Amino acid sequence: CLMMKFGPMILIVGLLVEFKGNFNAFLESHGIPCYSCCRTMHLMEGELPTSMSGSCGVCINGKLYVFGGYDDKGYSNRLYFVNLRTRDGTYVWEKITNFEGQPPTPRDKLSCWVYKDRLIYFGGYGCRRHSELQDCFDVHDASWEEQIFWGWHNDVHIFDTKARSWFQPEIKDGVPPQPRAAHSCAVLGNKGYIFGGRVLQTRMNDLHCLNLDTWTWSGRIAVNGENPKHRSWHTLTPIADDKLFLFGGLSADNIPLSDGWIYNVITNCWKQLTHLPKTRPRLWHTACLGKENEIMVFGGSKDDLLSLDTGHCNDLLIFQTQPYSLLRSCLDCIGKNAIILESQISLLPPKLLQQVLKTITFWTAANHREEQRTQKEETENKYQWISSN
């Protein structure tokens, strides 16, 4: 699935699910935020993209673009978009067929930077014909009869959303990253960063950046201090003008990961977060930044998909990397102690009162769910004790 912040909403796209309203979700007994709010599902119309895995979706100027992916017919290099700024709540997909230039070869598990009305795609795993083989392609397998080759890419392709044209930039200098797929990417300023990914049987933990104005690669960035483990199927999310948040993925030992790291561009250091729960690993998930700079992680799997899959995750994890605003902290305090403050709440100004009442409603529901969970666990433990005795 794809998840992204769009104005005051969080959009999760398979069908289009819209989350809005109260973001104050923090179940402290688990030591990890869980999400609960108003949800609305929208059915999509028009030329819907086929069901794909490994597609790449990004939002730019109010439009969601989805490129590539893999289905039972093979790899795709089709590009679709849907306008999210509709007045009547109707969302209509359109397949982009009228364009100039040459699109990338079919592929999945690629990445995309959004910069200056352009979608800048990098890497991925896919197929090429013999006549299309170049240095940017690391061959994995081949069908000599059909002259088709499968492998990993490290090429860069640009789609100009204004001109509706595809082209490849001339890389001026620097050493490009090794071809890869299932890596992560993020933009800070005019630099596009990528981390990790997989090629052949190797997973990587290297960090690179591409200057999106001068088209110069940094080469592998020699980070000061400790690096995160080698991994693929992870996420990299900008959380400030000079910081990136790395979460999860699948390790080189095929172990699902639950660790989080923050990369500081100024100090050129990774710092591991020490209080993340180790019981909630994620890989092939999606992540975006919330309205109070929380990192929201949704979907994916908690298993090594190459050997085991017990089902996809549908809970939303929220990671707080900086203190909440004073208003947010006060609202939470009132929501948790509404009974004690009951006689004073009605004295608040009308605009603030609306926010307080929403927060109280949320915390009442959250406490009820927690009580139900506790009762269920106590009942299960009771039956287990009776069965064992």
Side-chain angles (χ1 to χ4, degrees), residues 264-322:
N264 188 313
V265 173
I266 297 175
T267 62
N268 191 29
C269 290
W270 286 102
K271 180 181 179 181
Q272 185 172 8
L273 301 184
T274 56
H275 299 293
L276 297 187
K278 297 181 180 179
T279 58
R280 299 276 184 100
R282 286 292 184 275
L283 57 102
W284 214 347
H285 52 281
T286 186
C288 72
L289 201 63
K291 70 174 185 178
E292 294 207 35
N293 292 323
E294 316 100 325
I295 298 94
M296 299 186 174
V297 173
F298 181 80
S301 175
K302 62 181 183 298
D303 306 311
D304 170 12
L305 294 175
L306 303 177
S307 60
L308 174 70
D309 184 8
T310 59
H312 289 19
C313 303
N314 66 352
D315 54 342
L316 187 70
L317 311 180
I318 303 179
F319 302 115
Q320 186 182 348
T321 60
Q322 62 186 29

Side-chain angles (χ1 to χ4, degrees), residues 109 123-126 128 136-141 150-155 179-182 198-201:
K109 298 188 288 290
Y125 183 91
R128 286 175 176 255
C136 66
F137 190 66
D138 200 333
V139 176
H140 174 219
D141 200 358
W150 292 269
W152 290 267
H153 300 79
N154 72 345
D155 49 353
R180 64 192 64 205
R198 177 184 170 182
V199 61
L200 297 173
Q201 299 304 313

Side-chain angles (χ1 to χ4, degrees), residues 143-389:
S143 170
W144 292 103
E145 184 176 337
E146 299 179 9
Q147 291 290 288
I148 295 178
F149 297 78
W150 292 269
W152 290 267
H153 300 79
N154 72 345
D155 49 353
V156 177
H157 291 261
I158 298 175
F159 182 75
D160 188 315
T161 59
K162 297 290 187 183
R164 282 204 174 190
S165 62
W166 285 102
F167 65 96
Q168 283 191 267
E170 179 185 354
I171 302 300
K172 302 294 178 61
D173 198 7
V175 179
Q178 187 177 356
R180 64 192 64 205
H183 51 283
S184 60
C185 80
V187 173
L188 291 179
N190 67 340
K191 292 184 172 61
Y193 288 83
I194 67 164
F195 179 86
R198 177 184 170 182
V199 61
L200 297 173
Q201 299 304 313
T202 302
R203 291 187 176 87
M204 295 164 279
N205 70 340
D206 51 345
L207 181 68
H208 301 254
C209 77
L210 176 64
N211 187 306
L212 304 178
D213 288 323
T214 64
W215 302 111
T216 301
W217 279 108
S218 65
R220 177 167 184 160
I221 298 175
V223 174
N224 300 321
E226 185 180 5
N227 285 285
K229 290 181 179 179
H230 299 67
R231 66 190 68 204
S232 61
W233 286 340
H234 50 285
T235 50
L236 191 66
T237 309
I239 59 173
D241 293 338
D242 57 0
K243 291 183 177 67
L244 300 170
F245 177 76
L246 171 71
F247 177 71
L250 189 67
S251 75
D253 301 322
N254 294 332
I255 297 174
L257 298 169
S258 59
D259 57 338
W261 297 72
I262 292 179
Y263 175 70
N264 188 313
V265 173
I266 297 175
T267 62
N268 191 29
C269 290
W270 286 102
K271 180 181 179 181
Q272 185 172 8
L273 301 184
T274 56
H275 299 293
L276 297 187
K278 297 181 180 179
T279 58
R280 299 276 184 100
R282 286 292 184 275
L283 57 102
W284 214 347
H285 52 281
T286 186
C288 72
L289 201 63
K291 70 174 185 178
E292 294 207 35
N293 292 323
E294 316 100 325
I295 298 94
M296 299 186 174
V297 173
F298 181 80
S301 175
K302 62 181 183 298
D303 306 311
D304 170 12
L305 294 175
L306 303 177
S307 60
L308 174 70
D309 184 8
T310 59
H312 289 19
C313 303
N314 66 352
D315 54 342
L316 187 70
L317 311 180
I318 303 179
F319 302 115
Q320 186 182 348
T321 60
Q322 62 186 29
Y324 283 132
S325 66
L326 181 58
L327 173 61
R328 167 68 180 269
S329 300
C330 291
L331 288 172
D332 280 349
C333 183
I334 295 172
K336 295 176 185 179
N337 299 281
I339 296 176
I340 299 174
L341 301 171
E342 183 177 6
S343 62
Q344 303 173 55
I345 290 174
S346 61
L347 303 176
L348 292 170
K351 187 174 181 180
L352 184 58
L353 180 59
Q354 292 180 6
Q355 292 179 275
V356 168
L357 293 178
K358 288 181 180 179
T359 307
I360 292 173
T361 300
F362 166 76
W363 279 109
T364 301
N367 292 334
H368 178 67
R369 286 194 301 271
E370 181 61 17
E371 289 173 1
Q372 287 183 319
R373 186 187 68 82
T374 302
Q375 290 175 2
K376 182 179 179 181
E377 288 182 354
E378 289 176 351
T379 302
E380 290 175 350
N381 292 336
K382 181 179 178 180
Y383 282 128
Q384 288 178 359
W385 183 86
I386 294 173
S387 300
S388 62
N389 291 276

